[in-house]
Amino acid sequence: MIYVGIDVAKDKHDCFAMNSDGEILIEKLTITNNLVGFELSTIL
């Protein structure tokens, strides 16, 4: 199982992911709340 935490804000969103063993898959991914951030998030 993969757990994902997302901190949603007006200008950016911070994401974190780990598996059920506690292994960190994504330490911190910041996605800006604009067209560039949206396009980045669609290719991830």
Side-chain angles (χ1 to χ4, degrees):
M1 185 170 294
I2 296 176
Y3 300 95
V4 177
I6 303 172
D7 180 17
V8 177
K10 180 180 176 184
D11 297 323
K12 65 182 179 79
H13 313 297
D14 295 319
C15 307
F16 171 88
M18 65 184 252
N19 64 19
S20 56
D21 293 328
E23 178 184 358
I24 297 172
L25 304 174
I26 299 173
E27 179 73 33
K28 180 180 174 187
L29 172 65
T30 299
I31 300 170
T32 54
N33 194 13
N34 58 25
L35 182 58
V36 174
F38 175 76
E39 289 174 343
L40 173 66
S41 67
T42 59
I43 61 171
L44 296 177

